[in-house]
Amino acid sequence: MFRVRTLGTMLLVILLLLSLGTATAQDPQYGGTLVFGAESMGDSFDIGFWHGFGGVHVIDTIGEGLVRADFENGGALPGLAESWEISDDGLVYTFHIREGMTFHDGEAVTAAAIVRSMKRPINPEDPSYIDGMYMYGNQGTGNWESLEAVDDHTVVLKLMQPNATQLLVFSRPDGIIISPKALDEYGTEVGLNMSAAGPFKIERFVPGQEAVLVANEDYWAGRPYVDQIVIRAFPDEAAILAALEAGEIDMTLYAPFTSVPRLQNSDNIRVEVGAPLVDLFVGANVAKEPFDNLLLRQAVNYALDRETLIEAGLNGFAEMPASLLGPLDLGFDESGRDISMYDPERAKALLEETGLDMPLAIEVAYENNRFWPQLAELIAGDLEAVGFDVTLDRLDAGSFWGKVGDGQTQLSINQRSTFVPDPHDKAILMARAGAEGSQTQHQALEAADEIDALVTAGISTVDTMEREAIYQEFQALMLEHLPYIYIGYLTPPIFVNKRVQNVETFGTAGGRINLREVWLSE
Amino acid sequence: MQAGKTTSARIGVFWRRYDIALVGSAIFIAILLITILASAVAPYDPMARDIKNRFARPSAENAFGTDQLGRDVLSRVIYGGRPILGASFSAVLSALAAGTVIGVAGGYLGGWLDTALMRLMDVMLSFPSILLAILIVATLGVGLLNVTVAIGFSMVPVFARLARSIVITLVYEEYVIAARSLGASDPHIIWKHILPNMMPPIIVQASAMLAVAIGTASALNFIGLGVEPGTPDWGMMVAEGQRLIFDAPHVPLFPGLVITITVLSVNYMGDGLRDHLDPKLRRQDI
C-alpha cells in the first residue's frame, strides 16, 4: 500500500515537473537582440516625410499614436488614448489619455503635448515646422475644425465633415506623437533625434545604414520582451538572404520569394505567410493612346494567366484577385473574381473588335527589383500570346514613379498596400482623380466624377452597412472601366529565424511590422 | 641553319611560343562560331518557357539547367553571345576607324588641328571608359545600339592617341620623305605608305580593346542599359540570375563563366598577336 502511494506521489511529482518544464519552454522570454533586415534606411525619421520602408519600420517600432490599428480584426486598439468617444454625428472625438506615461526623453505625455505634436504640420510658428510635411493621410488636417487639450488628459478633436477612417488615421506611422522637448530642442532636425512614446527608443542611428533601438522600460503596456532591435538596410535581396542564412539577421520581408522552398527545409529559418493586404495590378494609362480604349484594357484583363503569374512569378505567394479591394477589406465584393479571370480567346476577340492593326506595340513599365522583372516577363508573354507586341521598360524605383507620375507609361505593374485596415486608403490612393498613387491618370475616365463621388462618400459615411454598399458600388465601377487590371493579393513570406517567436503576420504583410510582442527563444 | 628546320619542328616551336595564345584563339573562334550558328546549335528555343520545369538542375535534357521561367539556360547562353559580341565588334571597329582618322589627321597635318584634336581626346580619356559609356547611354537612351555607340565613343581616344603617335614617327621615315619628294599627294602617302605600316600595332590594340568592350557591354547589359529584359544575353542573364545565386546557382553561373572565358580567350589571343606582330618581341627562330 505504502509503495503504491509512494509511486503514485512520485509519478505526480514527475508529471508536475514535466508540465512545469513545458510551460517554461513556451512562456515568452525577456532579453536578446533582434536584427531586422530592411530594403532601405532613410536619412531621417521625420514623420512628415517618406523615408522608405526601413524608416517606416523604425517609426512603427519607436512610436505610438492615439490609437493602434488592429490589422487582424479591423478597427482601432487603444494607444496613448486608453479610450475615446465619438459623437453621434461623427464630428466630435474625445480621447482620454492614459495617465503616468512619459516620452523617451522623460517628458510627461500630456494632452497638451499630444496636441502640440499633432498640430505640427499646420503650425508654421512651431520651431520644428517644415513646409511640405505630409501627415494624417487622406484628408490630412484640412477637415479639422479644432483640436484642443481640454485638460491634462483629454483631447477633443472637432471635424468639419464626418470621417469614417479618422480613428485609424491616428495609427499611421505619421500619427505618432513626438515629445515637445525634442520638438523645441531639435526643431527641424527632430527627425534625427526622435523622442516618442513607443515600446522602443533610438539608441543609435547611422543614416542610410541602421538604427539601433533599445527597450523602453517605461512603456505603458510594459517593457517589450526583446532588449534591443537593430533595423539594418541591405543593398539587395541577395545580401539580405545571405545575412539571413548566416544568422546575421533574424527577420525580414525582403528576401527573394524564390528562396522559400529551400528555406522551409532550413534548420534555423521559418517562413510565415502574411495576410492578403496588398494589391498587385497592372495600371493602364487611360489618358493616353492606346489604353484610353476600354476594349484594350479588357483584352489585357482576359489575357493574363493569373494562376501561372502567381505560381511562377510570385512563387505562389498571392491569392487570386477580384477587385481593387481585398478579401479582408470592408465591402469586399467576391463577384469581381468572374471578371478578373483568364480567357485568352475572349482577349483575342476583344482585340479584333478594336479594329486596330495587330500586333499592337505597347510598353510595360516596372521596377527593377524584387519579383517585378520575373512577373513582367510572364505578363509580356501572356500579352504577346493574344496579339500585343510588348516592349519591357525596366526602371529603377525613382524613374518608375517619375514616369508614372508624368503620365508617360502605357501599362505599369505595381502594388498598393494599406497603412490602415480600411478600404479608403486604397480607394483614395488608387482611384481619386489626380491621386498621387494613381497609375492610371483615370481622371480622364468618363466615370471619373462618379468614382470620385463614391470615394468621398466612402469616407464621409459613418454607418458601416452604408459604407459596405458604397465600396461595393465603387468596386463594380472600377471593374467596369478597368483602369487597373488585377493580378492578385500578395500574401508575402515573412522570413524569421526560428528563435523569433510570436510574429504578428497581419500588419507585417502590409509593411507595418509590430515587434512589441515578439520574443526570442534563445 | 634555320632553313633546315622541318615543318613539324617549326610547328613545335610555334606552339611552344604561342601555346596559350593559340588555345585562346581556338576558344574564341569556337565561341564566335557557336554564336553565329546559334540557331543550328542550340538545343531549344531560348525564349520557350516551361513553367512546370522551372529551376531544373543541369541534366541530360538541359545541360545547363533551366531558369526562373523554365527556359533552357544552355540555349540562352548560346544565343546570349549575339548582342554582346555584336556590340563589341561593332564598337571596336567603329572606334578603330574613327580613332585612326583622328590620329592620322592630327599627326600628319599637325598644327592647331593636332592640338585641338588631342586635347579633346585627353578630355575624353580623363573619364573612366565605363563611366563615359554610362553617361552616353543615359543621354542617348537605353538600347543595344546606344550601348554600341557608347562603347565605341569611349574607345575612340585610345585609337586616336596610338595612331597619332605612330604617324608622327612614320612621317620622318625615309620612304615617306622619298614619296613626298617624288611629288606624291598627301592622301596617296597616307593610304599607300602610312596606313599599311601603322596597322600591326593598331590591330594589337583592337584585340585588347575587344576584351574591354566585351566586359563593358556585359556590364551595361547587366545594369539594364542595353538589351530588353528577357533577351538572351550574357550580361542580362547574370543580372536576372543574380538573386538566384543561392537557390539556383546554375542560372547566373553559366553566363558568367562564359563572359569570363570569352574575355580571357580574347586577351590571350591579343597577347599572341602582339608578340607575333611586334618586331622587337618576335623571334626569328620559327
Side-chain angles (χ1 to χ4, degrees), chain A residues 236-239 241-242 245 256-260 262-263 308 311-313 315 366 368 370-371 373-374 377-382 390-394, chain B residues 47 49 51-52 54-55 57 67-69 71 76 142 220-231 235-236 239-240 242-248:
Chain A
D236 56 42
E237 283 183 312
L241 178 63
E245 294 202 73
F257 288 17
T258 43
S259 304
V260 172
R262 189 169 54 81
L263 294 180
T308 304
E311 187 51 42
N315 286 74
Y366 57 96
N368 181 23
R370 303 182 74 202
F371 45 73
Q374 203 164 318
E377 276 194 58
L378 286 164
I379 287 172
D382 286 348
V390 180
T391 300
L392 290 174
D393 190 10
R394 190 172 79 155
Chain B
M47 300 300 283
R49 296 167 183 178
I51 299 295
K52 289 192 169 54
R54 293 184 305 138
F55 302 123
R57 303 277 162 182
D67 69 3
Q68 64 276 14
L69 299 178
R71 297 171 298 201
R76 291 177 70 74
V142 170
L220 293 178
N221 285 348
F222 175 86
I223 56 177
L225 296 179
V227 295
E228 198 186 325
T231 310
M236 179 59 75
E240 287 175 346
Q242 184 193 9
R243 59 202 291 274
L244 305 168
I245 189 73
F246 296 110
D247 302 300

Side-chain angles (χ1 to χ4, degrees), chain B residues 35-58:
Chain B
T35 304
I36 292 165
L37 303 171
S39 51
V41 181
Y44 301 98
D45 173 356
M47 300 300 283
R49 296 167 183 178
D50 181 1
I51 299 295
K52 289 192 169 54
N53 192 32
R54 293 184 305 138
F55 302 123
R57 303 277 162 182

